Structures are given as structure tokens and as C-alpha cells.
Amino acid sequence: CDPAYDPRIRPWWIETNTTRKPGWGTGVYPFASPGGLGLSATQPMYDSTGTFRGVLCSDVFLEQISSDLNTLSKGSPGETAIFERNTNGYIIGAASGGIQDSSSARCSIHQSGSSSIKSGVTKLNKEFPSYSSVTSTILMHADQAFVNFAGWWDAIWWQSSPPPLVS
């Protein structure tokens, strides 16, 4: 533990201290140690009298989110991804990977290497030009797949599956 480290000057602390609400800090950012991109899940902490005492923070690496989505998707014919609601739709995690390009820049959902994801997002963009308007679960049909979009905090959970076989 670095004695010079002061969490009170970190963006996630300042954001949570200002809003006094749980959240994802200031969004995705590069971690200083050990490196990599991630999110900080934050929760304000209060004592028994209701006085603000600090911020509880848990760091989550984007690579781990993708790995977890991949594990959850094993045996499923569909695709799963989570992307930011901002106008760029940066990928937070995807079962197929691909959250960063070869230069380590973040990839948007439009740059995904998955044709299934691109097809679903194209359909979503036609119906909802602004991702911020996706506030509930939406089921769509796009290029031989059913796509489920769910607004979730500051992100959108995206999942596709092939249509059921009709006999």
C-alpha cells in the first residue's frame, strides 16, 4: 500500500462524494496499477448517524467482463455484449472479445468483429438514434437472430440468439 496514495483525489471518489449515490465512478478509464482498462463500482459509506464517511470502491477489468461473458455464453449459439450508452457506444465487454483494437484504443460497438453484433446494432440505431432512450428491454429481429437490448445503468446489455426452429 502506497502511503502517498489519496483516494479522495481520484475521479471515482469525487463523483461519488458529489452525487452521494452508488455508481460506476466516471466510466471506463486506464488503471494505473497493474494497467488495463476498467470500471470502478462505487458506493458511498455512512456511519450510524448518517454522516458520510467515505467511498467503497471495487475495480472491475474490462477483460474480466469479456471473459465472464464468454464463460456464460459457452454452449449458447448467440452473442453477448455490454456497451456504453454514450454516442460512441464503446464496448465494455463482449463474449467474443474485441474491446480494444491493435493500438489499444477502445472499440465502439460499430467496430465489433462480430457480424451478429453489427447487425443488431444497425437495427437498434434505426429504431433508437440515441442509446440513452433505451430504458427497458427491447426484443428485435435482425438478420436471422432475435436481439434483446436492455438498458442497464449507463450501459446496454446486448444479447442475440438464433430464431427458434419451425417444424
Side-chain angles (χ1 to χ4, degrees):
C1 193
D2 181 359
Y5 178 75
D6 185 355
R8 296 170 297 175
I9 63 172
R10 303 294 297 160
W12 53 264
W13 176 287
I14 295 167
E15 175 75 16
T16 306
N17 184 25
T18 301
T19 65
R20 301 288 168 108
K21 295 179 181 178
W24 291 102
T26 55
V28 175
Y29 65 97
F31 289 150
S33 177
L37 294 173
L39 292 160
S40 293
T42 60
Q43 173 70 44
M45 302 298 295
Y46 301 92
D47 65 18
S48 60
T49 66
T51 303
F52 177 77
R53 303 303 292 173
V55 177
L56 177 65
C57 175
S58 179
D59 291 336
V60 182
F61 288 89
L62 298 192
E63 288 293 338
Q64 186 61 52
I65 293 171
S66 291
S67 176
D68 291 347
L69 290 174
N70 184 284
T71 299
L72 291 171
S73 298
K74 294 256 189 260
S76 169
E79 297 252 6
T80 304
I82 301 172
F83 60 98
E84 292 182 26
R85 283 183 193 251
N86 66 24
T87 55
N88 295 318
Y90 285 118
I91 298 171
I92 293 173
S96 57
I99 61 170
Q100 292 177 280
D101 65 17
S102 58
S103 69
S104 295
R106 293 196 53 211
C107 290
S108 80
I109 200 77
H110 306 285
Q111 297 167 309
S112 170
S114 165
S115 61
S116 179
I117 290 175
K118 283 183 183 176
S119 169
V121 169
T122 299
K123 176 87 172 174
L124 180 69
N125 286 340
K126 288 179 183 171
E127 302 279 334
F128 297 91
S130 169
Y131 296 144
S132 62
S133 61
V134 178
T135 58
S136 60
T137 300
I138 302 159
L139 184 62
M140 294 181 169
H141 185 263
D143 286 352
Q144 304 305 310
F146 288 111
V147 183
N148 181 32
F149 295 94
W152 177 66
W153 284 37
D154 292 332
I156 295 177
W157 176 275
W158 181 95
Q159 187 170 24
S160 75
S161 60
L165 295 174
V166 179
S167 52

